[in-house]
Amino acid sequence: MKVLEKISDFFGKFMAIIVLVVAALALFAPGTCLWLQTSWVNYLLMIVMFGMGLTLKLEDFKLVFTRPKDIIIGCLSQFTIMPLLAFILGKVFNLDAALLAGVVLVGTCPGGTSSNVITYLSNGDVALSVGMTSVNTLLPPS
């Protein structure tokens, strides 16, 4: 069990650095990452989310449930500000109607792994981000 705890501590401590190094490697030396297959993406996202989860504690989620106003504001923003901003940007860039509809639809989609990773890398409230992602994912009709 001590080994698992050490691994958890290592990834919890260095997750931001690991993500940035791998992203820089893929950007500046893409040939080094060509061995990755697209069928692995879900598993790699699972590993990233697991690594971020290692940085959270149960108390973090208790704090989220004591702040429902923050979750409500985030959900309202997700389903109002984000699609409106997507629509405005689509109009500014003069996108055709079909592409504009797609951009607005993507703007309405709940945050996911990327929003949680960006929150983590910017030393934001990861528990709140994960909580909002969960609620925003459950709210819209499937």
Side-chain angles (χ1 to χ4, degrees), residues 24-84:
L25 185 66
L27 180 65
F28 296 116
T32 60
C33 297
L34 290 178
W35 57 273
L36 292 171
Q37 298 178 12
T38 55
S39 61
W40 298 358
V41 169
N42 288 339
Y43 301 108
L44 294 171
L45 288 174
M46 184 174 58
I47 291 169
V48 169
M49 291 302 291
F50 179 71
M52 280 192 335
L54 292 175
T55 67
L56 299 174
K57 297 173 180 55
L58 191 57
E59 296 83 36
D60 294 332
F61 290 102
K62 288 179 184 174
L63 184 64
V64 168
F65 290 115
T66 62
R67 297 172 13 202
K69 185 174 78 169
D70 296 342
I71 297 283
I72 291 169
I73 290 170
C75 290
L76 289 174
S77 298
Q78 179 69 48
F79 295 114
T80 56
I81 295 172
M82 295 293 288
L84 183 62

Side-chain angles (χ1 to χ4, degrees), residues 118-132:
I118 290 169
T119 301
Y120 175 77
L121 293 176
S122 62
N123 292 323
D125 191 345
V126 177
L128 179 63
S129 179
V130 170
M132 281 184 44

Side-chain angles (χ1 to χ4, degrees), residues 85-97:
L85 185 61
F87 179 78
I88 291 169
L89 287 172
K91 287 296 189 181
V92 166
F93 289 109
N94 201 22
L95 299 178
D96 64 270

